[in-house]
């Protein structure tokens, strides 16, 4: 199917959907949410005048390790410290050799000769009086240069997606790229600009939802019903997150951003940023679950058009319940893996479980997990019911299958 035929098929599917009253209701609801999302994007558009946070992202230049040594750290202990000689490979000081103290051997990076690294110019951005004369070069080790393997992994992922999922995979990759761009170029600057983080996160999540769902699945009855279900579930996640961060006394001040907010004059709304992370984090798993439920209802309706809304809900909910238990298990394990270092430290120090979960560094991911899981649990009956009532009342030929084709009975 060429692009022109594909576009005509999508337009024909939309006309088929709007030919019935439930279809027009479905399109109307999605249109209202889309308009509100666009208005939110425009109203909350960042001005770029947000606080500048020192140390939040350092510009680095390339360097190459030419020598690595170990020597005593000094003092009463016999601890060994690792130092390195690194050649600056770009910028005005290209070719300069600098000595860098990496720190105790047990916790410093294990660098090798000829390894590529990134160096931070400590003079960058520092104002200098004209009479002071030229500054002496000053560089600090930033990190190992890991950009090439990260990009290579991203390319491998894209190739696998294109090969396995073909056209649908390419659209999904494009949607993912656009969604990440929205987060980086709009959501983060809007929060720094002083807008309500929870409002920004909700609008941003809705925008990401529209981009990924409609770009990947096109304008079909299933995608429109999924957008409705995901939107309601996101609002539920935002409300639950707001309530429980207050109840648990989580204000974000115990996290990594606490030092940055001092440098920005206290302008970073830490609790709001914590809530925004919960909403964005819940979006991915909500999209997967809701789309699966809507697709299940559509498949049941195509297979048996005589099955009413109650029957569709009952049969699809059985599938959703099984999917739900596996998804919650995955979500909890993902957060457990992220907090594993903290759990290990707590266990090594003999900290009890009740004291461990009271630590904000563990309480925050726990609340995030439970908020996301609660929104996920709510999304299954909610999206199944919406699909059974809206999609289940559409004619079967208005429902496209996984390849974008409609079935006629």
């Amino acid at each position: 199917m060429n692009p022109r035929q594909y576009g005509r098929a999508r337009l024909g599917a939309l006309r088929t959907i709007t030919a019935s009253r439930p279809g027009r209701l479905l399109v109307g609801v999605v249109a209202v949410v889309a308009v509100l999302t666009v208005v939110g994007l425009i109203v909350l558009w960042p001005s770029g005048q947000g606080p500048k946070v020192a140390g939040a992202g350092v510009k680095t230049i390339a360097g190459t390790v030419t020598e690595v040594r170990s020597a005593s750290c000094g003092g009463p202990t016999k601890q060994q410290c690792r130092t390195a000689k690194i050649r600056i490979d770009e910028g005005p000081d290209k070719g300069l050799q600098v000595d860098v103290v990496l720190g105790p051997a047990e916790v410093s990076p294990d660098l090798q000769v000829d390894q590529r690294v990134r160096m931070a110019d400590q003079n960058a951005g520092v104002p200098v009086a004209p009479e002071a004369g030229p500054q002496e070069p000053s560089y600090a080790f930033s990190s190992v240069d890991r950009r090439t393997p990260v990009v290579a992994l991203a390319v491998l992922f894209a190739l696998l997606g294109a090969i396995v999922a073909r056209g649908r995979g390419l659209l999904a990759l494009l949607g993912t790229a656009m969604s990440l761009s929205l987060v980086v170029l709009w959501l983060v600057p809007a929060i720094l600009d002083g807008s309500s983080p929870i409002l920004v996160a909700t609008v941003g999540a809705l925008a990401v939802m529209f981009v990924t769902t409609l770009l990947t699945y096109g304008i079909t009855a299933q995608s429109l019903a999924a957008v409705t279900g995901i939107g309601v579930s996101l609002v539920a996640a935002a409300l639950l997150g707001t309530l429980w961060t207050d109840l648990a006394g989580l204000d974000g001040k115990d996290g990594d951003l606490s030092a940055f907010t001092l440098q920005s004059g206290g302008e970073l709304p830490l609790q709001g940023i914590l809530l925004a992370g919960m909403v964005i984090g819940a979006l991915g798993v909500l999209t997967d679950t809701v789309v699966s439920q809507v697709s299940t209802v559509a498949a049941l309706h195509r297979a048996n058009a005589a099955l009413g809304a109650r029957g569709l809900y009952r049969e699809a909910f059985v599938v959703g319940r099984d999917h739900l238990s596996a998804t919650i298990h995955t979500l909890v394990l993902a957060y457990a893996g992220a907090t594993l270092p903290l759990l290990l430290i707590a266990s090594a120090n003999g900290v009890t479980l009740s004291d461990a979960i009271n630590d904000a560094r563990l309480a925050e991911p726990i609340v995030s997990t439970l908020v996301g899981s609660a929104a996920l649990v709510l999304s299954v009956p909610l999206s199944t019911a919406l699909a059974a009532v809206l999609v289940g009342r559409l004619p079967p030929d208005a429902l496209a299958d996984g390849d974008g084709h409609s079935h006629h009975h």
Side-chain angles (χ1 to χ4, degrees):
M1 182 181 292
N2 60 45
R4 180 175 296 180
Q5 291 173 326
Y6 181 82
R8 289 175 179 173
R10 290 303 183 194
L11 184 59
L14 182 60
R15 288 173 179 169
T16 305
I17 294 170
T18 55
S20 63
R21 184 177 179 181
R24 289 192 293 273
L25 175 62
L26 180 60
V27 172
V29 170
V30 173
V32 169
V33 177
V35 169
L36 291 176
T37 302
V38 172
V39 171
L41 289 172
I42 295 173
V43 171
L44 299 173
W45 198 269
S47 65
Q49 302 301 316
K52 304 299 181 182
V53 183
V58 178
K59 185 177 181 180
T60 61
I61 60 175
T64 302
V65 178
T66 59
E67 184 182 348
V68 179
R69 303 183 302 273
S70 291
S72 173
C73 295
T77 66
K78 296 182 179 181
Q79 190 175 42
Q80 294 289 304
C81 279
R82 188 175 287 135
T83 62
K85 185 179 289 292
I86 299 175
R87 183 183 68 243
I88 304 300
D89 291 337
E90 59 184 3
D93 297 315
K94 183 178 180 180
L96 177 69
Q97 299 270 355
V98 296
D99 290 312
V100 177
V101 178
L102 301 174
E106 295 83 359
V107 294
S108 61
D110 187 13
L111 300 181
Q112 305 295 325
V113 174
D114 294 329
Q115 186 172 6
R116 302 279 293 176
V117 297
R118 304 298 296 178
M119 301 292 289
D121 185 355
Q122 295 184 305
N123 291 331
V126 178
V128 180
E131 64 274 10
Q135 290 179 299
E136 287 293 325
S138 179
Y139 292 91
F141 174 78
S142 178
S143 67
V144 172
D145 192 346
R146 54 182 63 93
R147 297 174 300 172
T148 299
V150 170
V151 172
L153 180 59
V155 172
L156 176 61
F157 168 72
L159 289 175
L160 288 174
I163 292 171
V164 175
R166 299 185 180 179
R168 183 66 59 83
L170 290 174
L171 287 175
L173 291 172
L174 178 60
T176 300
M178 293 175 65
S179 299
L180 290 176
S181 299
L182 181 67
V183 171
V184 174
L185 301 177
W186 181 84
L187 189 146
V188 173
I191 291 177
L192 290 176
D193 208 36
S195 299
S196 168
I198 189 63
L199 181 59
V200 168
T202 303
V203 172
L206 289 173
V208 169
M209 171 194 70
F210 276 110
V211 169
T212 56
T213 305
L214 298 183
L215 187 59
T216 305
Y217 302 101
I219 300 177
T220 64
Q222 294 96 304
S223 65
L224 296 179
V227 163
T228 306
I230 296 168
V232 176
S233 300
L234 279 174
V235 173
L239 294 175
L240 286 171
T242 301
L243 176 60
W244 253 267
T245 51
D246 284 337
L247 291 176
L250 297 175
D251 52 16
K253 294 181 179 179
D254 293 314
D256 295 333
L257 287 177
S258 57
F260 293 154
T261 193
L262 291 176
Q263 300 171 12
S264 66
E267 295 183 41
L268 290 179
L270 298 182
Q271 187 180 51
I273 294 173
L274 175 63
L275 284 169
M278 291 184 187
V279 174
I280 296 298
L283 176 60
V285 68
L286 285 175
T287 301
D288 173 66
T289 301
V290 172
V291 168
S292 297
Q293 284 306 105
V294 174
S295 296
T296 300
V297 171
L300 289 170
H301 186 48
R302 287 197 303 265
N304 185 3
L307 199 61
R310 188 182 298 273
L312 288 172
Y313 176 85
R314 183 175 60 250
E315 297 298 327
F317 185 74
V318 173
V319 177
R321 189 169 51 200
D322 294 338
H323 185 204
L324 184 63
S325 59
T327 304
I328 290 178
H329 190 221
T330 302
L331 187 63
V332 171
L333 286 180
Y335 276 97
T339 58
L340 186 60
L342 291 175
L343 292 172
L344 289 174
I345 294 173
S347 177
N349 291 330
V351 178
T352 63
L353 179 61
S354 60
D355 281 337
I357 64 175
N358 192 61
D359 189 320
R361 293 171 297 175
L362 279 175
E364 287 179 4
I366 289 174
V367 171
S368 296
T369 303
L370 295 177
V371 166
S373 298
L376 181 63
V377 171
L378 290 174
S379 73
V380 171
L382 176 63
S383 60
T384 306
L386 281 171
V389 172
L390 298 174
V391 176
R393 292 184 179 180
L394 292 173
D397 59 356
L399 305 178
D401 62 16
D403 296 319
H405 302 108
S406 296
H407 291 266
H408 298 268
H409 299 278

